[in-house]
Amino acid sequence: IENLAISLACFAAWYALIYGPRNSPGAWRLLAARLLLLGFSLALALGAAEVAFRAWMAKDRAANSFERWKKLHDEGRELPVRTMHPLGSIIAPSANKRLVYELQPNLDMDFAHRRLRTNSAGMRSSREYQLERLPDSVRILGLGDSGMFGWDIDQDGNYLRVLEKSLNGRQDGVTYEVLNFAVPGYNTRLECERLRSRGLAYRPDIVIVGWCENDYGLPFFLLQETDFRSLDISFIYCLLFDRARLRVSIGPPEFRERRKFDKDKVLPEITAGTDVAGVRQAMQDLKALSLSNNFRLLVFGPMDGKIVQICRDTGIEYYNTLEKIPAGRYPREYAIHYMHPRAEGHAVLAAELEKHLDALNWLKPN
C-alpha cells in the first residue's frame, strides 16, 4: 500500500510539472471528471469482485463444512481443522448433532505430557467394558467434562479410576465397574445426551454427574466457519495486500473456544442447554431417565446456590464439595474445588465420593 501510494504521488507530481503550465482550467476540469469516473469505475469493479469472491468462497466452503468433516471422518479420512487448543487433537465429530463432538476411540498417546488412552467406546480408560452385566456387580457411570476426565492428570489418576480401584480393593465378592464417560468441554445438556445415546446401553446402577461452574455455558468447542457476509474484512483487499490474513480467513474450519464463539450461530438444540433454565431442563431429563431406566443419580462437585436449588427442586441427590470439604482441611495446592484438581485432589474426591455412596447404601448389587 505504501509503495502504491508513493507511486501515485510521484506520477501526480510528474504530470503536474509536465502538463500543469500548459493545461487550461477546462482541461483540468475534464481531467478531474475523468479521474472521478475512473475512481467510481474502480470502486464498482472492486465491489463486484468482492461480492463474486465471497459467493464463490461460500459455495466452495459449503463442501468444507461440519457435515463434510463428519462424512470424511466416517469414511476414515480427515478434514484439517485449525485450533490452537490441544483438545482439538483428541476429539472427533459426532454423528449426533446434539453432541457436536466426542472423544476419539482407541487413543494411546501423550497428551499435555500425560499418558492418554481411550477404549473402543471413547471412554478415558485403559480397559474395555462389555455391555453385558457381570453377576454380583455394581456399575457406576460418570458424566462430566474436563475435571472428571482428568485434565493434566495421568491415565489412572482421575477420581473415577481411583474410585474403581479402591472399591475393588475391598475384595467383598462384588465386582465394581466405574465407566468414565466424561468429555472435556461438555455442559450438562451434552452430558445428558451422551448418557442417552451412549451410556444407557451399559445399564448403570449409579450415574454420577460431575458438576463444574462452566456447565451453564456452551460446549467449550464448536466449529466456526468463515462468515462470508461479514463486513469487518475485505477479501479483495487481503488478496491484494494481506495474503497471510487471507490464508487464515479462507483456511480450514476452525474450532473456537466458547469465549470467542457467536452464540447466535449455534444450533438451537445446543443453546437450549445453556444458562440456568437449560441446566434445569437437563437435570429434569436426567431425573426422568433415572426413573425410567432404574438407576440412582448423584450430582457431585463444587456447587453454587443455583444448581443446589435445581437439585432440590427436581429431587436429585447431590454432594456439594464446597460444603462437605471445607477450606483448610486439605492443602490448597490440591485444588479440590477447582475445575481441574491436582492428582492429590482427585484422590480426595474419590475417597469422599466412596464414603458418600456407602452412606447412601448404594454400593450393593441390584
Side-chain angles (χ1 to χ4, degrees):
I1 298 174
E2 184 177 300
N3 291 338
L4 179 61
I6 292 173
S7 300
L8 290 175
C10 290
F11 177 78
W14 170 82
Y15 185 90
L17 288 172
I18 299 300
Y19 295 102
R22 292 182 290 175
N23 281 354
S24 65
W28 279 109
R29 285 194 294 270
L30 180 60
L31 176 63
R34 287 175 175 173
L35 289 175
L36 184 63
L37 180 61
L38 175 63
F40 178 77
S41 301
L42 183 61
L44 188 63
L46 290 175
E50 180 79 26
V51 172
F53 184 80
R54 287 170 180 255
W56 175 74
M57 284 303 304
K59 182 178 179 180
D60 179 71
R61 288 296 293 276
N64 201 28
S65 63
F66 188 72
E67 291 302 317
R68 186 184 176 215
W69 188 43
K70 291 194 295 186
K71 181 176 183 294
L72 290 178
H73 183 269
D74 292 340
E75 296 172 356
R77 296 184 291 158
E78 294 298 331
L79 178 68
V81 176
R82 291 181 291 121
T83 174
M84 295 298 293
H85 200 284
L87 181 56
S89 65
I90 64 171
I91 58 175
S94 174
N96 184 341
K97 284 187 176 182
R98 293 177 179 270
L99 283 179
V100 186
Y101 65 87
E102 299 178 85
L103 283 177
Q104 295 179 30
N106 302 314
L107 290 174
D108 188 356
M109 61 185 289
D110 287 329
F111 180 70
H113 308 293
R114 308 288 184 181
R115 202 64 192 165
L116 170 63
R117 296 185 184 91
T118 58
N119 62 19
S120 60
M123 307 176 215
R124 187 175 188 184
S125 177
S126 302
R127 56 164 290 193
E128 298 290 337
Y129 294 92
Q130 303 302 318
L131 290 178
E132 294 78 14
R133 293 293 305 270
L134 298 172
D136 297 321
S137 66
V138 173
R139 180 169 281 180
I140 302 170
L141 189 149
L143 302 171
D145 54 12
S146 54
M148 180 182 281
F149 165 86
W151 193 269
D152 198 29
I153 296 296
D154 287 325
Q155 175 68 11
D156 294 327
N158 65 78
Y159 67 82
L160 290 186
R161 178 67 185 103
V162 175
L163 173 66
E164 183 182 63
K165 185 177 180 180
S166 176
L167 289 174
N168 285 303
R170 297 180 174 193
Q171 298 183 342
D172 56 3
V174 178
T175 300
Y176 298 94
E177 296 179 304
V178 184
L179 286 62
N180 191 343
F181 269 84
V183 178
Y186 269 20
N187 61 13
T188 311
R189 166 55 56 195
L190 269 67
E191 291 160 10
C192 178
E193 186 60 30
R194 186 158 166 79
L195 172 65
R196 195 195 321 267
S197 63
R198 301 282 191 183
L200 290 180
Y202 290 86
R203 294 186 298 141
D205 299 303
I206 303 167
V207 171
I208 308 294
V209 179
W211 177 258
C212 180
E213 62 188 23
N214 58 20
D215 285 350
Y216 296 112
L218 288 169
F220 188 78
F221 265 148
L222 291 170
L223 196 65
Q224 174 73 70
E225 298 187 48
T226 303
D227 182 6
F228 291 102
R229 296 172 297 178
S230 173
L231 299 180
D232 61 354
I233 183 175
S234 168
F235 294 101
I236 293 298
Y237 172 89
C238 291
L239 180 65
L240 295 173
F241 303 117
D242 194 350
R243 298 290 178 83
R245 186 181 181 190
L246 180 67
R247 283 193 292 269
V248 172
S249 298
I250 65 176
E254 180 181 8
F255 262 122
R256 292 193 177 186
E257 303 172 19
R258 71 163 67 88
R259 295 186 298 270
K260 304 174 183 177
F261 203 86
D262 186 351
K263 189 174 179 178
D264 295 335
K265 299 176 183 175
V266 181
L267 291 171
E269 53 264 41
I270 301 300
T271 56
T274 61
D275 303 322
V276 175
V279 171
R280 179 179 293 275
Q281 184 60 57
M283 288 296 177
Q284 290 173 349
D285 292 345
L286 284 168
K287 178 65 175 180
L289 287 173
S290 74
L291 295 174
S292 60
N293 291 274
N294 194 32
F295 62 80
R296 289 159 166 151
L297 182 62
L298 173 69
V299 178
F300 180 81
M303 304 166 66
D304 62 22
K306 292 176 289 188
I307 183 60
V308 167
Q309 189 60 49
I310 289 173
C311 288
R312 289 173 177 169
D313 293 343
T314 52
I316 295 176
E317 180 73 26
Y318 68 91
Y319 186 95
N320 185 1
T321 59
L322 289 175
E323 292 180 355
K324 302 293 186 179
I325 312 175
R329 177 180 294 179
Y330 298 100
R332 185 176 181 182
E333 56 267 25
Y334 286 13
I336 292 171
H337 302 308
Y338 179 53
M339 66 177 64
H340 298 153
R342 299 284 295 273
E344 299 88 349
H346 276 271
V348 169
L349 292 172
E352 293 286 333
L353 181 55
E354 180 177 355
K355 184 171 64 175
H356 187 63
L357 293 175
D358 259 332
L360 292 172
N361 201 31
W362 285 6
L363 295 175
K364 295 185 181 299
N366 187 345

